[in-house]
Amino acid sequence: MANKGSNILLLSHHNVLIKKVEQILGTINARIFAPEDMTSALSIFQDNDIHLAIIDTESVFHSPPQQTDNSENTLSHLCYLFTDDKGTSTIPFILIGNDFNKPELEYMSEVSYVPLPIVPSMLTAEVHNLCRLQQMRKEFQQLADETTLMKLELSKRNKQLMLSSQIARHINSILNLDELLHEIVQLIQTQFRYYFVSIWLISSESGEIELKAGSLHGGRSHLQPGFKLIPGKDKSIITYVCQHKKRYLAQNVAEDPYYLPTDALPDTKAELCLPLNAIDNLMGVIDIESDRVDVFHPDDVEILMTLADQTAIAIRNASLYHQVLQASEDLEEKINARTNELKETNRQLELLEQNKTDFIQILSHELRTPLTLVNGYAELLLTHEQAEKDSFLRQPILGVMTGAQRLQELIDSMVDMLKIDSRSLQLMPQTLSIENILTPLLGNLSEVFNTRHLNLVMDNITDLPEIEGDLDLLGKVFEHLINNAIKYTPDGGRIDIYGRYLHQNFDDILEEFVEVAIHDTGIGISAEQLDIIFTKFYTTADVSLHSSGKTKFKGGGPGLGLSIARGIVEAHQGRIWAESPGYDEATCPGSTFYILLPLRQER
Ligand code: ADP
């Protein structure tokens, strides 16, 4: 049985034969068309899906197809039409007759022959086979057509994917934001041949959506960067996407409720707007417009979505880079400003330091002269016979002399400091012992020790080896330290002075030292002040007490003693430092000052 719905074209001028064939094929449910002339045969052939043609060779072929200029011969010409330009039949044929030796048959390749008189079973079998064959051929052709289409579609997608990956690679290498946006719209517009492609970014301050870059097919758009849309006010596809944070596709903008027509883009027919999301943060949109309706295939949309995501990341990177650049420029500016401020402060400090030095120098010179006069006259007065007799008169004269002496010491300290600062301290080294230094000093202070009820203990001083040093200068060091020990120790306290000999081998060279420690049972020094007390003019004493005695408990001082002592010790290639458990006027933890001096001075 032929396939259901098989259409058969029966070409014959013999009504008897037509009837006969219809009768036979009626049993197999085929639809038979038996046109009377060429015109109706042609229209039947064009309008219906004909599977097979049955040709009565006896009545149809009267002349060769070249001479088909009358209607008699048109049916034979039709046979000619059933073949394609390669001479292959487009449908199969069954030829009925007894003489198959006709020139027209040369054009027919798929032919079966049924002799007269027709044997019904033979005809039905041939029809069945050929219809089936034709059906299969059509299905095969359809498959082949579909495959070709798919191949075409696939190569188009492939090209677009390549383009999108090219674009993505390219845009990732651009860090300048404006340049990047411009490149992206231009690449998408030209590579995908869209009408207008634009990027809009949302302002974080105002929330307005601003056109940043646009690329129009074949020219410049009147829509210029800087053009703004306001969400909630302007109804457009772009504001819709920014508000709903999801893509929007209008395949035909004429029918779209959100489309905002603009004179600047008169040819827009379809619009696809994609959100630019980077890490859940909507930065703006990429808007693609086409001058054809229904142009955005779902696959295109997918590719463009991927491209939009990559664009968002590239924009984010570029803006981060921009921010970092901006921040580093700001930082550099701040650093420069700070450096200039510091330079200025430094310059002012140097000026101040210089002023101070100048001041001390002038002060010491200017004070020394009148002081010599005061001293000289005071001594003169003291030796006057009236003063010798009158103890009431002697008292103020002695006071003037003590004051002048204190003043003299102060000026000397300032001059020493000046020399240390300007590195012009000259040492006059001689061989001496620590005992040589201490004996006269302690002799002068014995009265103070008595009045302040201070106990002085010396240990291992006389056994110390001799050293090379400047007697006067080292005398000043010990004088400052012992005076401080007295000054910061309450009455009834104790002062220990002890020494030891130290040596070490350094690169086979023997290095020898004496270390002298002056320990007191005074108020102590806090850990954070142990170093700072050696700086110039540093004093914890009450400034208002500066005129008080130099050995009075917590008596004031100019804050020069330790810094002069350090200057002198270091000029002797030695070291000076302080140790103390802490500062406490109630418990008096005490302090120890150490002086380390080399036995010999390297020249
Ligand atoms: P001045 O004694 O004139 O203040 P110094 O340079 O001699 O200046 O000492 C600086 C500071 O070090 C003193 O103000 C004091 O706070 C601290 N200091 C020095 N010697 C002692 C000590 N033996 N015990 C406690 N504090 C001391």
Side-chain angles (χ1 to χ4, degrees):
M1 198 177 124
N3 279 351
K4 243 191 171 172
S6 291
N7 296 327
I8 298 168
L9 191 66
L10 176 58
L11 305 177
S12 174
H13 297 314
H14 288 143
N15 284 337
V16 180
L17 187 129
I18 293 171
K19 284 270 166 340
K20 177 82 180 163
V21 172
E22 280 178 344
Q23 192 194 353
I24 297 168
L25 296 185
T27 60
I28 61 162
N29 201 14
R31 198 169 162 210
I32 296 167
F33 297 90
E36 285 177 358
D37 52 29
M38 158 71 173
T39 322
S40 48
L42 247 183
S43 63
I44 288 169
F45 187 70
Q46 277 160 4
D47 298 345
N48 297 281
D49 182 17
I50 299 297
H51 297 102
L52 170 72
I54 299 175
I55 301 171
D56 167 15
T57 57
E58 303 303 315
S59 68
V60 172
F61 301 120
H62 290 288
S63 55
Q66 294 90 331
Q67 297 156 17
T68 56
D69 50 359
N70 59 51
S71 74
E72 264 301 272
N73 292 327
T74 51
L75 285 179
S76 62
H77 180 59
L78 188 64
C79 295
Y80 177 65
L81 291 177
F82 293 154
T83 57
D84 63 18
D85 46 4
K86 288 181 193 137
T88 314
S89 313
T90 50
I91 54 169
F93 297 94
I94 294 176
L95 301 179
I96 299 176
N98 286 321
D99 176 15
F100 300 115
N101 208 6
K102 307 262 183 215
E104 291 86 351
L105 298 181
E106 282 171 24
Y107 299 97
M108 299 174 183
S109 46
E110 266 175 56
V111 184
S112 285
Y113 303 97
V114 174
L116 287 170
I118 302 170
V119 178
S121 60
M122 190 179 170
L123 182 65
T124 50
E126 284 298 337
V127 167
H128 175 80
N129 285 343
L130 289 174
C131 279
R132 180 96 186 89
L133 188 78
Q134 179 65 0
Q135 185 69 33
M136 278 167 68
R137 195 160 72 175
K138 284 206 162 153
E139 281 171 11
F140 178 76
Q141 188 57 46
Q142 203 176 335
L143 258 169
D145 290 350
E146 276 172 15
T147 313
T148 316
L149 255 172
M150 273 168 70
K151 265 189 186 165
L152 270 172
E153 194 57 31
L154 214 66
S155 87
K156 188 180 150 203
R157 299 273 156 259
N158 207 16
K159 199 177 153 209
Q160 285 183 339
L161 271 172
M162 269 167 63
L163 280 177
S164 87
S165 86
Q166 256 175 26
I167 293 174
R169 258 204 318 275
H170 183 66
I171 59 179
N172 270 331
S173 62
I174 305 172
L175 285 171
N176 177 300
L177 191 59
D178 286 339
E179 190 190 328
L180 173 79
L181 300 181
H182 193 75
E183 280 281 296
I184 293 171
V185 292
Q186 210 165 32
L187 279 169
I188 299 178
Q189 190 271 311
T190 51
Q191 302 287 1
F192 291 86
R193 295 171 198 281
Y194 289 120
Y195 171 53
F196 182 63
V197 178
S198 54
I199 287 180
W200 302 68
L201 295 186
I202 303 169
S203 152
S204 53
E205 285 107 45
S206 64
E208 291 173 339
I209 311 160
E210 188 179 334
L211 173 67
K212 290 290 180 183
S215 176
L216 180 75
H217 171 71
R220 276 169 68 91
S221 163
H222 293 302
L223 214 54
Q224 288 299 312
F227 179 81
K228 284 175 189 157
L229 288 169
I230 302 164
K233 184 167 164 263
D234 298 317
K235 193 179 171 195
S236 73
I237 289 177
I238 291 171
T239 46
Y240 178 89
V241 172
C242 286
Q243 278 169 328
H244 294 83
K245 300 180 178 177
K246 57 181 185 190
R247 72 179 180 209
Y248 190 95
L249 173 60
Q251 290 283 27
N252 183 359
V253 291
E255 293 167 1
D256 194 274
Y258 291 102
Y259 175 65
L260 177 71
T262 162
D263 294 343
L265 300 165
D267 297 333
T268 300
K269 296 283 187 306
E271 183 170 346
L272 170 67
C273 189
L274 303 166
L276 290 171
N277 271 317
I279 320 177
D280 285 345
N281 176 30
L282 182 77
M283 294 183 293
V285 297
I286 179 157
D287 189 59
I288 302 156
E289 301 182 30
S290 172
D291 51 6
R292 282 178 292 145
V293 292
D294 292 326
V295 80
F296 295 107
H297 187 276
D299 290 346
D300 292 337
V301 176
E302 282 310 311
I303 290 173
L304 290 166
M305 278 291 286
T306 314
L307 209 53
D309 289 345
Q310 284 161 337
T311 301
I313 293 168
I315 293 176
R316 191 169 164 272
N317 288 348
S319 21
L320 279 178
Y321 178 76
H322 186 72
Q323 279 173 22
V324 170
L325 213 68
Q326 188 67 46
S328 83
E329 272 170 19
D330 288 354
L331 202 70
E332 208 175 297
E333 230 168 73
K334 275 187 194 148
I335 289 173
N336 282 343
R338 260 295 150 85
T339 313
N340 287 339
E341 268 173 38
L342 276 174
K343 270 186 193 161
E344 180 54 24
T345 316
N346 212 19
R347 203 186 59 80
Q348 284 177 359
L349 275 176
E350 274 171 14
L351 209 71
L352 255 162
E353 189 65 24
Q354 187 55 46
N355 285 349
K356 208 162 64 185
T357 313
D358 291 351
F359 173 72
I360 295 169
Q361 205 165 16
I362 293 166
L363 203 69
S364 63
H365 274 115
E366 294 302 310
L367 285 179
R368 263 187 178 147
T369 326
L371 208 56
T372 319
L373 284 175
V374 172
N375 244 336
Y377 283 121
E379 269 172 30
L380 200 71
L381 276 176
L382 203 63
T383 52
H384 194 272
E385 59 181 275
Q386 219 171 331
E388 276 176 356
K389 278 188 225 154
D390 188 345
S391 65
F392 182 74
L393 202 63
R394 276 161 59 94
Q395 246 356 80
I397 299 170
L398 282 171
V400 169
M401 285 177 70
T402 318
Q405 195 192 340
R406 277 287 286 135
L407 211 55
Q408 182 65 53
E409 282 168 6
L410 209 64
I411 293 165
D412 288 348
S413 291
M414 286 179 175
V415 173
D416 285 344
M417 198 65 249
L418 203 70
K419 285 183 184 161
I420 289 165
D421 275 354
S422 59
R423 297 175 199 282
S424 56
L425 194 69
Q426 294 284 337
L427 293 192
M428 311 277 267
Q430 63 181 90
T431 305
L432 51 89
S433 68
I434 299 298
E435 200 185 0
N436 287 160
I437 306 169
L438 289 176
T439 308
L441 265 180
L442 294 171
N444 288 343
L445 287 168
S446 62
E447 207 184 317
V448 180
F449 277 103
N450 283 337
T451 47
R452 294 278 317 276
H453 306 290
L454 293 170
N455 192 10
L456 174 72
V457 180
M458 306 260 278
D459 189 20
N460 199 28
I461 295 294
T462 44
D463 296 339
L464 288 176
E466 287 185 322
I467 62 165
E468 260 183 341
D470 186 309
L471 186 63
D472 270 0
L473 291 175
L474 288 177
K476 282 184 186 177
V477 173
F478 283 94
E479 189 184 357
H480 280 307
L481 294 185
I482 295 167
N483 275 341
N484 276 354
I486 295 170
K487 201 159 64 170
Y488 296 104
T489 304
D491 292 5
R494 170 182 160 140
I495 293 168
D496 284 270
I497 302 176
Y498 50 89
R500 58 178 176 155
Y501 162 74
L502 295 169
H503 63 91
Q504 67 178 22
N505 252 321
F506 191 76
D507 275 351
D508 273 348
I509 299 170
L510 179 67
E511 293 185 337
E512 296 172 289
F513 305 89
V514 291
E515 184 191 83
V516 182
I518 299 164
H519 173 75
D520 62 51
T521 55
I523 57 174
I525 303 162
S526 65
E528 59 274 13
Q529 288 190 322
L530 280 174
D531 269 339
I532 202 168
I533 52 174
F534 288 94
T535 49
K536 204 164 46 171
F537 297 112
Y538 181 84
T539 176
T540 53
D542 185 348
V543 187
S544 63
L545 297 174
H546 275 187
S547 58
S548 57
K550 60 178 179 178
T551 50
K552 198 181 157 203
F553 180 50
K554 293 203 297 169
L560 284 174
L562 289 182
S563 118
I564 291 172
R566 178 155 75 177
I568 295 171
V569 171
E570 284 176 359
H572 280 84
Q573 297 149 39
R575 221 156 66 73
I576 180 169
W577 71 98
E579 286 175 9
S580 171
Y583 168 80
D584 193 330
E585 288 196 24
T587 59
C588 285
S591 322
T592 310
F593 282 78
Y594 293 90
I595 304 158
L596 184 73
L597 292 165
L599 291 202
R600 281 166 292 276
Q601 289 296 310
E602 275 172 31
R603 294 188 178 94

